[in-house]
Amino acid sequence: MISRREFLQASVAASALYGASGVGNWSRLAAQQALTQDQLLQFDAFGNVTLIHITDIHAQLKPIWFREPEINIGVGDVKGIPPHITGMDFIKEFNLQPGSAEAYALTHEDFIALGKTYGKMGGMDRVATVVKSIRAERPEAIILDGGDTWHGSMTSLLTKGQDVVNVMNKLGVEAMTSHWEWTLGTERVKEIVDALPFPFLGQNIFDAEWDEPAFEPYTWFERGGAKIAVIGQAFPYMPIANPGWMFPEYSFGIRDERMQEMVEEVRAAGADLVVVLSHNGFDVDRKMASRVKGIDVILTGHTHDAIPEPVLVGETILIASGSHGKYVSRVDLDVRDGKMMGFRHKLIPIFADVITPDAEMAALIDAERAPFKDQLEEVIGKTESLLYRRGNFNGTWDDLICDAMLSERDAEIAMSPGVRWGASVMPGENITREDIHNATSMTYPNCYRTEMTGEFLNVVLEDVADNLFNTDPYYQQGGDMVRVGGLGYSIDVSKPIGSRISNMTLLKTGEAIDPARTYIVAGWASVNEGTEGPPIWDVVEDHIRKIGTVKLDPNTSVDVTGV
């Protein structure tokens, strides 16, 4: 007799062959540059329940360039498996056609050349068109937002997230969870949440003083004759990865024992389908799915992975929907007799030149941006290099930011956080103030100048490397290596903590970093309260104005082994 897991495995295989899983059903047309909106949205409806998932928008309301990572190293059990494959390995894994629109959307390969053919991606007015199309066919489709929504742009910073809140409300979001939202501070988060027309979920957010649940753990939907529970999982490492002093009233954590309790609670209350709306990161969710029984679907976020097929863990499917508005996931499910019997899935790429903007949403976005239009569009300089930030080590945006800190803050070494948000800028384009903010905008932007010993610099690099390359996903926080300027080093990702980093070198002189010597270091995004210094966007803007045109040499300062 076939088991339920075998049945679900068959669903994955059938989806891939059918072409609704991912973008394979239009790859031939894509290669011929004959994409149409109807082809992008084509989907044979299935079952009785539809989920629409968006995540990690990072306040990007307009279409953008966004280059996917060139390097995304997996360690331990996840070495060499999605999402830890990139480029041609990714193309081969998912049977994509090199040079096609799908290869452009999902990998870094030939990004500049293919960008000229396929254009920008995203734009919440285009996302609105996709959502309306799905809902025209499936009026009861549930729209779920995975968080990292109110942060990441100049307008979201200036409006304290309100521009994005207004857009997501109009989109019709029905539940969300959170991460960077909390960097607006407790008071502002509560102000927004109190006015939201949908629940702000987090089964793992507790009152720090009383150790009691602080937000709704789950919400209910009755759709397609099924009773659906959606459990929220906020980013678990908030006080470590972000400034805890901004939200001292709350504690977070993975809390998978409580997640199991929540699953059992909603099952006992009659849930036919259990969905976890998560901001854990893909590998953390993969482990949680192996430990918590009874979850049907995890809509995962935080690590910005775009995977064109679901990943099956036991009897749980994991759906990864990318970031920055580049994709919308549609998941149709057959829910019967209290079980998920099968599914179809499609990661819908939002090609801005193909999908018609929704007029009402476009008007709202323009109205939200209008008060800041002149500031956003002011040209600061130009770039001859592609500016991007995605990958485990330095990208060109990071190199530019580090160069700016070295120059403007008169430092020997610069350190920039390994965050995964930030739109790209194509070679030959002007760099606007909005572009700079897309890579730097946050509520703790002060660019500090301090002294660190060589020994402490080593400790910092080792600590961040362990966050990224610890073989236990529960010890990973989901970012990338701290970006460095003026400093070179070697890293063996296969080693344990304390022994990954070697050959630290001061690039200006070629001398080895002396553990006992003190170095002048500039950095930004410190989680420490009271950090002083100019905002990083001013530092970068001053630097670009001085040099006029940005041209970056390839960065070979980090030697990576043990992959």
Side-chain angles (χ1 to χ4, degrees):
M1 181 177 178
I2 189 170
S3 70
R4 182 162 175 258
R5 174 173 167 78
E6 290 170 329
F7 189 72
L8 293 174
Q9 285 176 321
S11 283
V12 173
S15 282
L17 290 171
Y18 160 79
S21 180
V23 288
N25 56 331
W26 48 265
S27 60
R28 181 177 58 82
L29 291 164
Q32 298 170 357
Q33 302 171 31
L35 287 175
T36 69
Q37 180 171 304
D38 287 344
Q39 290 155 4
L40 290 179
L41 299 181
Q42 190 278 325
F43 193 102
D44 289 346
F46 176 79
N48 55 326
V49 173
T50 296
L51 306 177
I52 301 172
H53 182 228
I54 52 177
T55 190
D56 295 275
I57 299 296
H58 284 288
Q60 297 301 311
L61 304 182
K62 288 285 193 177
I64 57 167
W65 304 109
F66 189 87
R67 179 187 185 269
E68 296 294 332
E70 186 172 346
I71 180 170
N72 185 358
I73 298 169
V75 293
D77 293 341
V78 302
K79 183 177 181 177
I81 64 174
H84 300 290
I85 49 173
T86 61
M88 288 307 299
D89 291 335
F90 190 103
I91 287 170
K92 292 174 184 176
E93 174 77 15
F94 293 104
N95 297 313
L96 311 183
Q97 184 170 343
S100 66
E102 57 187 346
Y104 165 66
L106 291 162
T107 76
H108 73 283
E109 293 288 344
D110 297 321
F111 180 79
I112 297 171
L114 295 179
K116 295 175 182 177
T117 299
Y118 299 116
K120 292 184 177 182
M121 298 193 70
M124 292 308 295
D125 50 0
R126 277 78 165 177
V127 170
T129 296
V130 172
V131 168
K132 285 185 176 180
S133 174
I134 296 171
R135 278 198 148 169
E137 180 184 17
R138 306 279 276 209
E140 294 189 326
I142 304 168
I143 307 176
L144 301 170
D145 172 11
D148 274 3
T149 307
W150 311 338
H151 154 276
S153 73
M154 185 173 178
T155 55
S156 65
L157 182 74
L158 293 174
T159 65
K160 299 181 180 179
Q162 193 63 50
D163 64 328
V164 195
V165 170
N166 294 343
V167 166
M168 301 308 278
N169 287 350
K170 186 169 185 61
L171 187 67
V173 168
E174 294 175 273
M176 72 175 292
T177 192
S178 59
H179 171 200
W180 276 90
E181 285 74 13
W182 287 101
T183 63
L184 293 173
T186 294
E187 184 177 345
R188 178 58 178 151
V189 170
K190 291 181 72 175
E191 181 182 30
I192 294 175
V193 169
D194 287 346
L196 287 177
F198 54 82
F200 183 86
L201 302 176
Q203 73 86 22
N204 59 329
I205 308 176
F206 274 51
D207 182 286
E209 181 178 359
W210 299 101
D211 196 32
E212 294 177 345
F215 289 85
E216 294 177 71
Y218 54 79
T219 192
W220 290 97
F221 299 93
E222 292 195 17
R223 306 285 169 90
K227 194 172 181 181
I228 302 155
V230 176
I231 305 172
Q233 176 81 357
F235 179 57
Y237 304 108
M238 284 300 316
I240 302 171
N242 303 95
W245 56 268
M246 290 183 165
F247 38 87
E249 299 87 350
Y250 302 109
S251 64
F252 295 80
I254 297 171
R255 301 185 192 270
D256 53 11
E257 290 184 2
R258 184 166 194 264
M259 178 64 80
Q260 184 68 69
E261 293 173 4
M262 293 300 96
V263 172
E264 292 171 2
E265 186 173 303
V266 297
R267 288 291 186 191
D272 300 304
L273 181 76
V274 177
V275 178
V276 171
L277 180 62
S278 174
H279 206 87
N280 275 340
F282 195 90
D283 288 339
V284 177
D285 276 327
R286 178 159 30 203
K287 180 173 178 177
M288 187 176 72
S290 73
R291 291 165 62 91
V292 178
K293 306 306 177 186
I295 301 171
D296 295 303
V297 182
I298 298 180
L299 302 173
T300 186
H302 178 57
T303 40
H304 294 193
D305 308 298
I307 305 179
E309 295 176 11
V311 171
L312 186 63
V313 180
E315 296 182 352
T316 303
I317 59 169
L318 272 64
I319 306 293
S321 304
S323 69
H324 290 75
K326 281 185 71 175
Y327 314 92
V328 171
S329 280
R330 173 177 174 173
V331 189
D332 280 18
L333 304 118
D334 178 12
V335 182
R336 288 179 282 127
D337 303 322
K339 292 182 179 180
M340 177 179 71
M341 303 302 294
F343 61 88
R344 282 183 186 158
H345 158 266
K346 185 172 184 177
L347 182 69
I348 303 169
I350 309 299
F351 285 100
D353 292 342
V354 178
I355 297 174
T356 302
D358 177 76
E360 291 183 1
M361 184 65 88
L364 173 61
I365 292 169
D366 287 343
E368 295 290 345
R369 291 167 56 86
F372 317 107
K373 190 173 187 293
D374 290 345
Q375 296 178 65
L376 295 167
E377 295 178 356
E378 184 173 348
V379 174
I380 310 303
K382 190 171 184 176
T383 183
E384 293 183 9
S385 302
L386 171 67
L387 300 180
Y388 66 90
R389 172 202 281 155
R390 266 303 265 113
N392 293 151
F393 301 95
N394 280 47
T396 48
W397 252 127
D398 308 301
D399 292 339
L400 176 58
I401 292 169
C402 285
D403 286 349
M405 289 190 288
L406 291 172
S407 173
E408 299 299 314
R409 300 296 279 156
D410 190 23
E412 295 173 281
I413 293 169
M415 305 183 78
S416 188
V419 294
R420 294 187 172 189
W421 48 268
S424 304
V425 182
M426 283 290 198
E429 289 189 333
N430 289 328
I431 303 172
T432 64
R433 181 171 290 117
E434 181 172 27
D435 292 325
I436 295 171
H437 269 266
N438 282 344
T440 60
S441 204
M442 60 161 59
T443 56
Y444 49 106
N446 303 82
C447 183
Y448 59 83
R449 184 177 186 272
T450 190
E451 296 182 349
M452 296 183 186
T453 64
E455 180 182 22
F456 186 73
L457 286 165
N458 178 265
V459 169
V460 170
L461 292 177
E462 287 282 5
D463 184 63
V464 179
D466 195 60
N467 162 53
L468 185 58
F469 301 117
N470 194 302
T471 55
D472 185 344
Y474 278 18
Y475 289 92
Q476 298 174 11
Q477 295 167 25
D480 287 309
M481 273 300 290
V482 60
R483 281 51 168 128
V484 293
L487 174 70
Y489 65 92
S490 298
I491 179 171
D492 185 339
V493 302
S494 67
K495 299 288 188 182
I497 187 170
S499 56
R500 292 188 178 97
I501 306 297
S502 61
N503 301 324
M504 293 173 61
T505 305
L506 188 65
L507 296 180
K508 183 169 61 176
T509 64
E511 298 173 349
I513 293 292
D514 182 348
R517 189 195 142 183
T518 297
Y519 297 86
I520 304 298
V521 178
W524 65 289
S526 169
V527 298
N528 297 320
E529 188 172 7
T531 299
E532 296 182 352
I536 185 63
W537 48 79
D538 284 352
V539 173
V540 175
E541 183 172 319
D542 289 346
H543 178 67
I544 294 174
R545 285 190 186 279
K546 287 178 182 177
I547 62 176
T549 299
V550 172
K551 185 175 183 181
L552 297 164
D553 296 324
N555 189 333
T556 59
S557 62
V558 180
D559 178 48
V560 183
T561 58
V563 178

